[in-house]
Amino acid sequence: MMAQVLRSQLIKTSTILTLGKMLPYLSVIRNRMMSTHKSKKKIREYYKLLNLVEGCSADDVRESFHKLAKQYHPDSGSTDADSAAFIKIEEAYRNVLSHVIEEAKARQSEVEEAAEEENFKYNTPQHRQYLSFEGIGYGTPSQREKQYRQFRADRAAEQVLEYQKQKVQRQDFTNSLTVQDVRHSKEQKITQAIERLVEDLIQESMAKGDFDNLSGKGKPLKKFSSCSYIDPMTHNLNRILIDNGYQPEWILMQKEITDTIEQLREAILVSRKKLGNPMTAMEEQQWKQACEQFQENIRKLNKRINDFNLIVPILTRQKVHFDAQKEISRAQKMYETFIETKEVTDKNSNDMNPREGKTPGSKAGVLNWWNLWKFIKI
C-alpha cells in the first residue's frame, strides 16, 4: 500500500516537472498559432481593403491599387485624398501582392511534384529483378549471373587490348617525334657548318688578295648573264622589257620627284633675283604671290611623294615631305650669298691697280662663285 502511494506521488511529481519544462514550448506554440491566425485575419482585412477576394491574380491586385491610389493619393487632387488612408492601402497592396505570389509559387510546385510522380509511376520498371546484372542475360537469376560474369570478363579483355593499343600508339608517336627532331637538328648543324666553312674560305681568300685580280673587276655585269635559278621564260621576258626601255613605276616616279623639286627651287630663286634689294611695295606683293604659288606646287609634290611611298618596294627609299617655308628661306639665303659675292667681286675689280693686272680679281671671283655653287649643291 505504501509502495503504491509513493509510486503515485512520484508520477505526479514527474508530471509536474515535465509540464514545467514544456511550459515555454507551449507558450511558443500558442504564440505561433495566434500569430498564424492573426496573420490570416490580417490578410483577409487587406483583401477587403483593396476590394478583392482571395484567389485573385497579381494583375488584379495592381489594377485595384492603381484605382485606389488615384482616389486617395495626397497629390491626386481628388476630394477623397487622404494620406493616412493611402498609407494603409499601400501596406495592404504590398502584403496582398506577396501573398498572391507565394500562393502562385506553391501551386506551381504542387503541379510539378504531381507531374514528377506521374512520370515516375509510369516509367518505373515493373520487374525489378531485371535491374540487377546491368540488364544482361536471360533466364533464371543463376543463369543470368553466369552470363553477366562472362560479359564482364569479355569487357575487361577488350579494355586491356584497347589500353595496350593506345600505349603502343603513344610510344610510336613519341619515337617518331624524337627521330624527326634528331634528323632536323642534324640538318641544321650540317647547314650551319657548311655556311661557316664557306664564310671562312671567302674571308681567307679576301685576306690573301685572291679577289683583287679577277677578270672584269670594276666593270658592269653582263646584261643577260645566265642564271640557273631563273626559268627561260622569265629570262626572255626580262630581256624583252629591258630592250624596250621598260622601267618600274617607282623608279620613274622617283626621277619625276627629283626633277620637279629642282625645277621649283630654280624657279623660286629666279623669281627672287628678278626683284630688287630692298624690295618695293609692288615687288613685295609679287614676291608674296610667287611664294604662294611655290607653296601650292610643294603641296602637289608632297601628294606625289605619298603615292611614291605606297609603291616603293624598299623601305629605305621612301621620301619625306618638303617644307615650303624652309625652301623659301633657302632661296633667300642663296640670293643673299649671291648678292654678297657680287659685291665682293665688284669691289675687287675696282681696287685692282694696273700693275697687278686682272689675275687676283679673277681668282677672287672664281673662288666666290665656287663657294656659291657649293652652297647651292648642299
Side-chain angles (χ1 to χ4, degrees), residues 188-231:
Q188 284 186 344
K189 289 179 180 179
I190 293 171
T191 304
Q192 293 174 0
I194 293 173
E195 290 178 353
R196 286 197 299 269
L197 178 60
V198 172
E199 186 66 26
D200 293 340
L201 292 174
I202 292 173
Q203 294 295 333
E204 184 179 355
S205 299
M206 291 176 63
K208 290 180 180 180
D210 294 340
F211 295 156
D212 296 339
N213 299 321
L214 293 176
S215 60
K217 179 182 178 182
K219 298 179 182 180
L221 297 174
K222 292 182 180 181
K223 191 174 183 180
F224 297 106
S225 59
S226 58
C227 182
S228 60
Y229 298 102
I230 300 177
D231 60 286

Side-chain angles (χ1 to χ4, degrees), residues 271-300:
S271 299
R272 182 63 187 91
K273 287 181 180 179
K274 290 180 180 179
L275 304 176
N277 187 26
M279 293 184 292
T280 62
M282 183 64 68
E283 291 175 344
E284 289 181 355
Q285 186 67 24
Q286 294 176 0
W287 174 245
K288 184 177 180 181
Q289 293 177 358
C291 291
E292 291 177 354
Q293 183 63 34
F294 179 77
Q295 290 176 356
E296 180 65 21
N297 294 332
I298 289 293
R299 186 180 63 82
K300 294 179 181 179

